[in-house]
Amino acid sequence: MQKSILIIGACGQIGTELTLTLRNRYGNENVIAGDIREGNETLMDSGPFEILDATDYDALEEVVAYYEINEVYLMAAMLSATAEKFPMRAWNLNMKTLFNVLNLARDKKIDTVFWPSSIAVFGPNTPETLTPQSTVMEPTTVYGISKQSGERWCNYYHNKFGVDVRSIRYPGLISWKTMPGGGTTDYAVEIYHKALSDKKYTCFLSADTELPMMFMDDAIRATLELMEADPKNITVRSSYNLSAMSFTPAQVAASIKGHIPEFEISYQPDFRQAIADTWPSSIDDTQARRDWGWKPRFDLEETTKEMLGNIKSGRP
Ligand code: AKB
């Protein structure tokens, strides 16, 4: 069957790259970008775009009907740091959009859903290293609570209504095309921009805060691989652990210094430190490797080369 895809939150950090990759794969006209604001030129000019508030079920249903959408990627969310400032707005956005999309799938108005979860579903009582797929979670952040609840609802809609919903617990994502916004792992993008522009960076996490991270190309490939996997191989309908690398701010700074020797890092941990302290330092993704053949390609050194090279050349 011909795919007709809607990406909600298409102008965000993941949404932008996901939209462009899906357009390459399935044809520009078959991939509709939706967001509450306009995005960059490449995204806006390469295919259909709709201003869309996905908390509004009727507006969403109208876009789905008009373009005869059969697959939705729900990438709109308020991330961990911003969600601590606006708890009710975060809960409303993160949960309402998810229910709207799951209900469309329950009512057979769409066939397949991708919804991103996060390492934020884990909490201070979770085993910190090589965190297993199934383990104690108990998130203590607003964002983590919304993501863990979302996972349970995805699982419920799959079991109860047969909804084909698929999900990944993304680690911190590092990209050069679009900046992240409002996350705790954002430092790992900002640091590359500042290294090139100012040769120095003040990090809002401490030197030795180790977190799971992934280069965006790996994250996009993982998303497409999961969505194209045979449904009979998908054994997890809450969300899959996914891993590529783990590093600390001191380690990423050392990697940058290998290319920009005069680069200096200093540390001024703020409220985001308390969030990071509750998250795992590394993730066990055996299940994703086993079920749909996941394998990362980018380590820290490769990521540093890609980030510095592409930001420097000013690629859009
Ligand atoms: C955040 O820092 O909030 C996100 C995430 C890990 O989900 N990047």
Side-chain angles (χ1 to χ4, degrees):
M1 197 189 42
Q2 172 72 54
K3 274 195 199 262
S4 182
I5 299 172
L6 172 66
I7 294 117
I8 299 167
C11 301
Q13 189 199 12
I14 312 176
T16 304
E17 299 206 27
L18 186 61
T19 304
L20 298 175
T21 308
L22 287 167
R23 282 183 173 161
N24 272 335
R25 184 91 131 221
Y26 296 110
N28 289 352
E29 293 310 307
N30 299 319
V31 179
I32 319 307
D35 208 305
I36 43 168
R37 61 184 166 94
E38 295 194 343
N40 70 34
E41 242 170 65
T42 326
L43 181 104
M44 301 294 295
D45 294 348
S46 61
F49 177 81
E50 289 287 336
I51 291 283
L52 176 62
D53 173 1
T55 62
D56 178 346
Y57 180 83
D58 294 337
L60 177 60
E61 194 188 25
E62 201 177 305
V63 171
V64 164
Y66 181 80
Y67 290 99
E68 298 180 22
I69 299 293
N70 45 38
E71 189 161 294
V72 172
Y73 291 72
L74 172 52
M75 311 313 287
M78 195 182 285
L79 299 187
S80 55
T82 313
E84 289 305 302
K85 294 184 181 155
F86 307 106
M88 287 301 112
R89 268 168 57 189
W91 179 259
N92 192 39
L93 171 68
N94 295 0
M95 300 313 290
K96 212 163 174 196
T97 51
L98 177 60
F99 278 119
N100 285 348
V101 173
L102 288 176
N103 286 337
L104 282 173
R106 177 198 61 196
D107 298 343
K108 311 277 180 253
K109 291 175 179 161
I110 53 174
D111 300 327
T112 323
V113 176
F114 178 82
W115 174 78
S117 187
S118 160
I119 54 163
V121 293
F122 300 116
N125 299 326
T126 301
E128 201 189 327
T129 53
L130 286 177
T131 301
Q133 174 68 43
S134 296
T135 185
V136 174
M137 297 172 97
E138 302 179 0
T140 51
T141 63
V142 172
Y143 174 65
I145 294 167
S146 76
K147 287 295 179 188
Q148 197 205 6
S149 310
E151 286 193 7
R152 297 328 311 155
W153 281 110
C154 288
N155 201 58
Y156 181 87
Y157 271 66
H158 175 74
N159 289 341
K160 185 101 176 172
F161 307 117
V163 167
D164 186 0
V165 54
R166 305 177 186 202
S167 176
I168 285 171
R169 291 172 180 152
Y170 289 125
L173 298 181
I174 304 164
S175 63
W176 52 268
K177 284 188 189 151
T178 311
M179 293 297 281
T184 301
T185 57
D186 293 9
Y187 90 84
V189 177
E190 290 167 11
I191 193 170
Y192 289 105
H193 287 270
K194 290 285 183 195
L196 284 164
S197 62
D198 303 356
K199 309 275 181 280
K200 58 181 196 293
Y201 177 64
T202 304
C203 187
F204 57 75
L205 297 183
S206 65
D208 57 352
T209 306
E210 186 178 20
L211 289 171
M213 298 280 182
M214 183 176 286
F215 187 54
M216 186 60 87
D217 291 27
D218 266 348
I220 300 292
R221 186 171 51 82
T223 308
L224 266 60
E225 283 174 7
L226 172 61
M227 290 303 275
E228 286 167 2
D230 189 331
K232 70 174 190 306
N233 296 335
I234 311 287
T235 63
V236 176
R237 293 296 185 157
S238 50
S239 191
Y240 276 99
N241 273 8
L242 201 70
S243 169
M245 58 184 146
S246 287
F247 58 72
T248 63
Q251 286 166 333
V252 66
S255 166
I256 291 172
K257 261 178 171 299
H259 300 259
I260 307 174
E262 62 275 39
F263 175 64
E264 294 293 340
I265 187 164
S266 55
Y267 300 95
Q268 257 174 42
D270 66 15
F271 72 101
R272 289 168 281 195
Q273 183 67 46
I275 300 176
D277 286 344
T278 69
W279 290 355
S281 57
S282 62
I283 298 286
D284 178 349
D285 61 1
T286 309
Q287 195 83 31
R289 289 172 187 253
R290 196 184 291 148
D291 286 1
W292 42 278
W294 164 244
K295 205 166 182 278
R297 290 185 189 151
F298 290 84
D299 59 12
L300 175 57
E301 196 41 45
E302 279 300 314
T303 301
T304 296
K305 263 193 240 149
E306 290 288 324
M307 289 297 287
L308 295 178
N310 284 298
I311 297 169
K312 202 162 159 184
S313 74
R315 293 215 179 97

